[in-house]
Amino acid sequence: MEASRRIEVRVGLVSIVAIVLLVVGILLGKGVSLSGTRQIVSVQLEHSGGLENGSPVVVNGVKRGLVTEVRNEQGGVVAIAEIDGISDLREDVSARVSILEITGGKKLEITPGTRGSYRVGTVIPGTVAADIVSLV
C-alpha cells in the first residue's frame, strides 16, 4: 500500500512540473516578458507594408518586443510597439519594416542611432523595405 502511494505522489509531482514547464515554454515562445520594464514607442510610416499586431520588434537584430497597434493617422500609418527598455535608443533613432522570413511575415527593425538621447514620446521616423513580392 505504501509503495503505490509513493508512486502516485511521484506521478503527481512530475505532472505538475511538466505543466509548469509547458506554460513557461509557451509564454517564452510568444515573447511574453515578465520583467515589467516595457516602454511604448511610436513609429511613423508612409504605409504599413504588411506590419500587423503581434509582429516582432528587433533592436540591432535582438528581439525586444511586439507591435501592439497599427493605425492610420495623418496621411500615413503609426505603429505602436512595446519594447524592453529604451535606454540604448538615441536622438537619431530610426525604424524599418522588413520581411521576417521568406514565407511571409514582417518585423519592425529599430536602429538605435548614435547621437543625443531619446526623449520618451518622440515619434520615430520609419521606412518600409522592399520585400520579395515587390522585387518580382
Side-chain angles (χ1 to χ4, degrees), residues 19-30:
I19 290 170
V20 168
L21 289 175
L22 177 67
V23 169
V24 168
I26 290 171
L27 290 176
L28 289 176
K30 288 250 191 211

Side-chain angles (χ1 to χ4, degrees), residues 43-49 72-78 97 125-128:
V43 178
Q44 179 72 44
L45 303 161
E46 282 186 32
H47 58 88
S48 70
N72 290 320
E73 192 173 290
Q74 300 173 353
V77 172
V78 173
V97 176
T127 60
V128 178

